[in-house]
Amino acid sequence: MSEYQLDQKNIDVEELAQKALNHADLFQKLLNGVRSKDDATRQNCFKIMEIIAENDADFLYSEWEYFQEMLYSPNNYQKFIAIYILASLTRADKDNKFENIFNDYYGILAGDKTMTAAHVALNSSVIVHNKPELQSKIIDILISIDDVHQGKQKELIKAYAIEALIKIYPDADDKEKIEDFVKVQLNSKSPKTRNMAQCFLDRC
């Protein structure tokens, strides 16, 4: 890792993301790095891969299965990374690979782990933007957190769902359904969720 200093803080992730498009050795190090046990290396490689996924999804799409495998990892750090990368890669998903893992992806939201469930909810706006045909299905899941999530932090996870719904709302077919859900959250036990609900109502 030393050549690119992927284990160091404050590296130029934007520059390395651009460089990785034309340097196979660096790209391979990044692929290996997102599964690294070293926190700094893993985080740097994730940031770089996220930039590539957002800006050059077609380039990274060939590695879909690699990140899909991470989605099923018992390691929550790997799962977390896969949640983000796969959401971004739906932009290039001409083969509808996401639809094949839809239930597994949202099965994480239905699990009991707060960190990963919350970020599935948050990334839903990216997926809806890239795959509008899934909009209604995803909205129904987000407004059903009480029934869907099995952990103890349902109220907190609703904040992430509302943050996604703020971005989904302008193009949503059923705005009233979203509004009704958000208004109820003004009385949430979670301060973060109450604040996010008020933010939604102020903006939308």
Side-chain angles (χ1 to χ4, degrees):
M1 294 291 178
S2 57
E3 180 185 353
Y4 299 106
Q5 297 184 316
L6 295 175
D7 58 346
Q8 301 298 310
K9 294 181 179 179
N10 302 318
I11 61 173
D12 191 335
V13 291
E14 295 279 354
E15 180 183 344
L16 287 169
Q18 193 60 39
K19 192 171 186 177
L21 301 179
N22 299 302
H23 291 76
D25 61 326
L26 171 57
F27 183 67
Q28 188 58 53
K29 283 183 170 63
L30 295 173
L31 281 176
N32 294 338
V34 293
R35 297 189 181 190
S36 174
K37 293 181 180 179
D38 178 71
D39 290 343
T41 299
R42 185 180 62 251
Q43 190 64 18
N44 282 332
C45 291
F46 169 43
K47 288 179 181 177
I48 296 167
M49 282 296 194
E50 194 175 14
I51 293 168
I52 296 172
E54 290 174 356
N55 299 327
D56 296 277
D58 289 324
F59 175 84
L60 195 56
Y61 184 62
S62 62
E63 301 296 338
W64 178 282
E65 282 72 20
Y66 183 82
F67 291 102
Q68 180 176 314
E69 186 177 286
M70 290 174 64
L71 192 72
Y72 301 108
S73 172
N75 183 310
N76 279 321
Y77 290 115
Q78 289 193 25
K79 199 183 293 282
F80 178 89
I81 290 170
I83 287 166
Y84 273 83
I85 300 298
L86 292 174
S88 292
L89 290 183
T90 55
R91 181 184 303 178
D93 187 22
K94 59 185 182 297
D95 299 322
N96 292 324
K97 293 181 179 181
F98 183 78
E99 281 79 349
N100 293 333
I101 63 166
F102 183 95
N103 291 338
D104 295 328
Y105 190 93
Y106 280 93
I108 295 171
L109 180 58
D112 60 2
K113 296 290 188 293
T114 302
M115 180 183 79
T116 47
H119 289 277
V120 166
L122 186 62
N123 276 277
S124 292
S125 61
V126 176
I127 297 165
V128 169
H129 177 75
N130 293 335
K131 288 184 173 284
E133 66 276 13
L134 296 177
Q135 180 197 104
S136 178
K137 190 175 181 180
I138 290 174
I139 289 173
D140 284 346
I141 292 172
L142 293 179
I143 65 175
S144 302
I145 297 294
D146 280 324
D147 299 322
V148 172
H149 185 64
Q150 301 303 309
K152 298 179 180 178
Q153 298 292 332
K154 292 181 181 182
E155 292 304 312
L156 177 60
I157 290 171
K158 289 176 186 177
Y160 292 86
I162 295 171
E163 189 171 345
L165 289 168
I166 288 174
K167 297 177 182 178
I168 294 170
Y169 182 83
D171 297 315
D173 295 326
D174 195 344
K175 289 181 167 63
E176 187 175 347
K177 184 190 295 185
I178 296 174
E179 290 167 12
D180 289 345
F181 168 75
V182 174
K183 287 174 183 175
V184 171
Q185 309 319 316
L186 290 171
N187 298 314
S188 172
K189 294 178 181 178
S190 165
K192 181 180 176 72
T193 298
R194 291 198 303 271
N195 290 339
M196 192 60 69
Q198 190 60 59
C199 176
F200 176 100
L201 295 171
D202 290 343
R203 289 177 58 180
C204 301

